[in-house]
Amino acid sequence: MVTNRRGFLGGILGLAGGTLSISAYALPSLQPQKWDEESDIVILGAGGGGLAAAVTCVANKIPFKIFEKQSFIGGSSLLCGGAWSVCGTEAQRAKGINDSPDKFLKDMLEVGKYKNSPELVKAFISATREHYDFMTKVRGLSPTFVSASAGMSLPRAHYFKPADVLGNMKAFIEENGFIVRLNSKADRLVVDPMLQRVTGVRILNGDKTIFVKANKGVILCTGGFSRNPQLLEKYNPLMAKVDPEGGMGNTGDGLLMAQLLGADTQDMNFIKATYGYRLDRKYSPRTVHAYYGGAILVNQEGRRFVNESLPYKLLADAALAQKDARTFEVFDEPIRQQRMKSRLAERDLLGAMNDGKEVDYCFRAQSLEEAAKKAGLPAEILIKTVDDYNKNVSNGEDPEFGRTSLTSGFGTPQKIQTAPFYIYPAKPRLIATYCGLRIDPHARVLDVYGAPIAGLYACGEITGGVHGAAYMTGTAWGKAMGFGRIAVLHANRS
């Protein structure tokens, strides 16, 4: 197809009343001679955010098209631990948990060290609850259980099997006559120089190129860039040295397309790994967070090095600071039993040791000394570390690291004293980047001057502003779906 490539617009187009419009600066046009397809909303990416956007379109009878560059749906959402953080739900009330948007907001800001945007967090809390209600009350899903994890002052992580939620959304789309267009990669946004807005996108499918017009908006749901070493090196060189674990399609495509239009970014300096992965390279998106049940973390010298109740992003920072980043979770049988009731991943990983079965990723023994020898740790030092910790638990103090809870103020630290004992070697991996395009509470992408780029929206891992300096479990998945909903509803009104 022949296109009229106008290149970069000069300032002349931006002259209005003697001033230069910010949004007229250097917008690449890439106008096609004709559009191959069109719809009101064009959604790029079929992970949690993209599918939630599509579901919102269907529920509100808004014409849309959705494209996914992979040969399957899901993205990073398919690999997540299944936690969806929501507040004030029936599942919480059934357990006597008195949660509220204000408590949720307070926790989010404290975890994010007040580097996150309160207005974005408020928008997320409201919208993710609306989508949760749709998926549970209309679509019939229900959480397996609710528990507390990183960054929560009370339990609000509602656990689902990610494939169930994603599959349910896909089914809803298909039941209403729509499909996800797979193997379809967006590589450029199209801007109308006269309207000064994003009006469509160029899609590559094998050797075929099509231009798709978006009458009301393009929504970027393309994920982060954990699989792009060059971008990691640019924004956080330390993360380029950490094994990636996110979706294979997370190469920063949407980020780069938006930056070409002058989009601003946020939280790039807060890219952090996630702590709790097994050491081997066997593929497994699952983690063990036994420290939120009472485990302690030790380095290869057998000594504690951090307050274990911190969010696991901050624990990853502490682990990477240890020699060779070699660290271990140390716990006992009661903690193992508790963790199997708290997360689906740990039900699988720790449950694999039921009935005396052995696994190659966790050491078990009837004494700490024997467990330490199996793990290659100095037994005498580890035993003293655990003894000192148990004494501090009895005294209700932790003079060295200040641990007073299991996680972010919730729960009481437990002694490690009941055989068998377990030592789980753990490492950080980069599951997601949790930063990216600056958006407003309407999910509009903002340029470097803080003005919305007309016709361009974003949701999910590609965006910054919600998490800030750290991360609460279940908010990335919830953020994606919440802002997918927000983007559609705002674009439809525009």
Side-chain angles (χ1 to χ4, degrees), residues 88-131:
T89 66
E90 293 178 2
Q92 284 181 306
R93 288 192 289 272
K95 293 176 64 97
I97 301 166
N98 182 23
D99 201 0
S100 69
D102 287 341
K103 292 177 182 178
F104 200 166
L105 175 64
K106 181 176 182 292
D107 283 354
M108 285 288 289
L109 295 179
E110 287 182 354
V111 170
K113 299 187 182 299
Y114 299 92
K115 300 296 184 181
N116 36 1
S117 163
E119 295 310 310
L120 284 183
V121 177
K122 289 176 185 177
F124 145 66
I125 291 171
S126 175
T128 201
R129 171 62 191 274
E130 290 170 359
H131 190 66

Side-chain angles (χ1 to χ4, degrees), residues 397-408:
E397 61 180 10
D398 183 9
E400 190 171 5
F401 297 104
R403 183 179 197 178
T404 58
S405 68
L406 295 180
T407 173
S408 301

Side-chain angles (χ1 to χ4, degrees), residues 229-250:
Q230 291 76 29
L231 286 177
L232 289 175
E233 184 69 32
K234 176 180 180 180
Y235 291 114
N236 190 332
L238 178 62
M239 292 300 104
K241 299 177 175 61
V242 178
D243 292 339
E245 187 69 29
M248 293 303 297
N250 286 2

Side-chain angles (χ1 to χ4, degrees), residues 58 117 136 139 143 146 157-158 180 182 188 237 240 243-244 262-263 277 296 349 373-374 406 408 436 442 452 486:
V58 173
S117 163
T136 54
R139 295 296 295 167
V146 182
H158 296 65
V180 178
L182 301 174
R188 290 294 188 276
D243 292 339
Y277 286 93
I296 60 171
L349 290 172
K373 290 178 179 178
K374 286 184 175 182
L406 295 180
S408 301
H442 301 301
I486 288 171

Side-chain angles (χ1 to χ4, degrees), residues 266-335:
Q266 190 170 7
D267 296 341
M268 308 304 273
N269 55 319
F270 296 133
I271 302 173
K272 296 182 184 297
T274 294
Y275 184 77
Y277 286 93
R278 49 197 281 184
L279 298 186
D280 58 65
R281 294 290 295 170
K282 293 178 181 177
Y283 177 73
S284 172
R286 298 169 298 177
T287 51
V288 170
H289 301 323
Y291 35 90
Y292 294 144
I296 60 171
L297 304 186
V298 302
N299 55 26
Q300 62 183 326
E301 297 174 351
R303 306 181 193 278
R304 288 177 69 211
F305 58 89
V306 70
N307 176 348
E308 294 87 353
S309 70
L310 294 176
Y312 46 66
K313 298 290 182 183
L314 300 181
L315 296 180
D317 284 350
L320 289 170
Q322 302 306 302
K323 183 179 180 181
D324 300 326
R326 289 192 67 221
T327 60
F328 306 81
E329 300 180 27
V330 180
F331 52 101
D332 64 3
E333 181 62 21
I335 293 174

